[in-house]
C-alpha cells in the first residue's frame, strides 16, 4: 500500500512510501490489543495501597462481651473488623501489578493497532524534519498545516529530538514518542498518528524481527 509523504507545511512532497502489509495491513486481533493495553496500564499502577489488619491495630485485646447470650456477633476485642475504628478484613497490601506478556503477542498488538489507524485513514507520513529551537508556536503551526489540530496527535520520531519534544510539551492534545518506544496504548489513544519517514522504517524493522 502506497501513501503520500507530506512536509511540515502540510504540502504533498510528491514522494510515496510503501506501507508493509505485514505491519500496517493485517487483520487486527482485538484480544491481543486488550492484553497489551491491560499490560501497559497495570505497569502504571503504584501498588502502594495499604490498610491495617487486625494484628496491626493498636488497642486493647480485652474481650468486650461474653461469648454467648448477647444476641449479637462474637466480636472479641476492640480491634474487631465489625467495629468502627477496627481493622479491615483482607485489605489491600503493597503489590506489583505488572504481569508478563510474550514478545510476539506485544508485537501483534502493535501491528493490530497500526492497522486500525491505516483503516481509519488516521496515519500521516511526514518528511523528516527538525526544529531550530523549542517553540510551541512552531509545533502548533505544523499541526494546523496538516489539518489535524482538532484531534489528539501522536508524533513518532526516529530518535529523541529535544526541540520537538519541548515544543509539544505544553500542548494538551499532542504527544511525542520515538519509534522504539511506540506502544499499543499510545497508538490507540491518539486520534491521528504522525510518523516521519525514518520512523516508519524503524517501526517496520522492529515489528518484523
Amino acid at each position: 500500500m502506497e501513501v503520500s509523504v507530506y512536509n511540515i507545511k502540510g504540502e504533498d512532497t510528491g514522494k510515496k512510501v510503501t506501507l508493509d502489509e505485514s505491519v500496517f495491513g493485517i487483520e487486527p486481533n482485538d484480544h491481543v490489543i486488550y492484553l497489551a493495553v491491560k499490560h501497559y496500564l497495570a505497569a502504571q499502577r503504584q501498588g502502594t495501597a495499604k490498610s491495617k489488619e487486625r494484628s496491626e491495630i493498636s488497642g486493647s485485646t480485652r474481650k468486650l462481651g461474653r461469648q454467648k447470650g448477647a444476641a449479637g456477633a462474637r466480636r472479641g476485642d476492640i480491634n474487631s473488623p465489625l467495629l468502627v475504628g477496627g481493622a479491615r478484613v483482607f485489605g489491600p497490601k503493597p503489590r506489583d501489578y505488572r504481569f508478563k506478556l510474550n514478545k510476539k503477542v506485544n508485537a501483534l498488538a502493535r501491528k493490530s493497532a497500526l492497522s486500525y489507524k491505516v483503516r481509519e485513514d488516521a496515519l500521516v507520513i511526514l518528511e523528516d524534519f527538525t526544529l531550530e529551537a523549542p517553540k510551541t508556536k512552531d509545533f502548533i503551526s505544523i499541526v494546523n498545516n496538516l489539518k489535524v489540530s482538532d484531534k489528539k496527535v501522536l508524533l513518532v520520531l526516529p530518535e529523541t529530538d529535544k526541540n520537538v519534544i519541548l515544543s509539544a510539551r505544553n500542548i494538551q492534545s499532542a504527544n511525542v514518542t520515538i519509534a522504539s518506544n511506540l506502544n499499543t496504548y499510545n497508538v490507540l489513544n491518539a486520534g491521528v498518528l504522525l510518523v516521519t519517514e525514518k520512523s516508519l522504517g524503524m517501526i517496520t524493522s522492529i515489528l518484523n524481527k
Side-chain angles (χ1 to χ4, degrees), residues 24 40 110 113-114 117 122-126 129 139 142-143 146-158 164-165 168-169 171-197 199-200 203:
F24 296 91
Y40 174 82
R110 280 178 284 171
L114 291 168
K117 288 301 173 192
L123 177 69
V124 178
I125 307 301
L126 280 180
F129 73 97
F139 194 89
I142 294 172
V143 171
L146 293 167
K147 297 181 174 59
V148 292
S149 58
D150 59 332
K151 297 176 181 177
K152 189 180 285 188
V153 173
L154 176 64
L155 173 62
V156 185
L157 300 175
V164 176
I165 292 171
R169 187 171 60 178
I171 304 173
Q172 194 171 4
S173 60
N175 198 5
V176 179
T177 188
I178 59 175
S180 58
N181 289 344
L182 190 65
N183 63 61
T184 305
Y185 179 84
N186 285 341
V187 172
L188 294 176
N189 194 40
V192 63
L193 210 59
L194 306 180
V195 182
T196 64
E197 287 181 274
S199 300
L200 182 66
I203 291 169

Side-chain angles (χ1 to χ4, degrees), residues 38-145:
K38 183 179 178 182
H39 179 261
Y40 174 82
L41 293 176
Q44 309 307 304
R45 296 186 68 173
Q46 279 188 312
T48 54
K50 172 73 172 72
S51 67
K52 288 188 176 182
E53 294 189 350
R54 192 163 188 161
S55 63
E56 299 169 315
I57 294 282
S58 63
S60 172
T61 57
R62 178 178 65 86
K63 190 170 175 64
L64 297 177
R66 53 187 178 150
Q67 180 76 355
K68 300 171 78 69
R74 299 168 293 181
R75 59 179 182 262
D77 60 42
I78 202 170
N79 303 326
S80 170
L82 302 173
L83 300 176
V84 175
R88 182 171 172 185
V89 181
F90 304 127
K93 293 182 178 180
R95 56 167 290 196
D96 187 353
Y97 286 91
R98 289 176 293 185
F99 60 92
K100 184 179 181 294
L101 191 67
N102 291 339
K103 287 182 181 179
K104 287 184 179 179
V105 172
N106 210 338
L108 179 58
R110 280 178 284 171
K111 289 178 183 179
S112 297
L114 291 168
S115 296
Y116 267 129
K117 288 301 173 192
V118 173
R119 284 185 177 191
E120 296 163 3
D121 200 23
L123 177 69
V124 178
I125 307 301
L126 280 180
E127 196 173 43
D128 291 318
F129 73 97
T130 186
L131 299 178
E132 294 181 1
K135 285 187 179 179
T136 304
K137 183 170 63 176
D138 291 347
F139 194 89
I140 291 174
S141 295
I142 294 172
V143 171
N144 288 337
N145 292 338

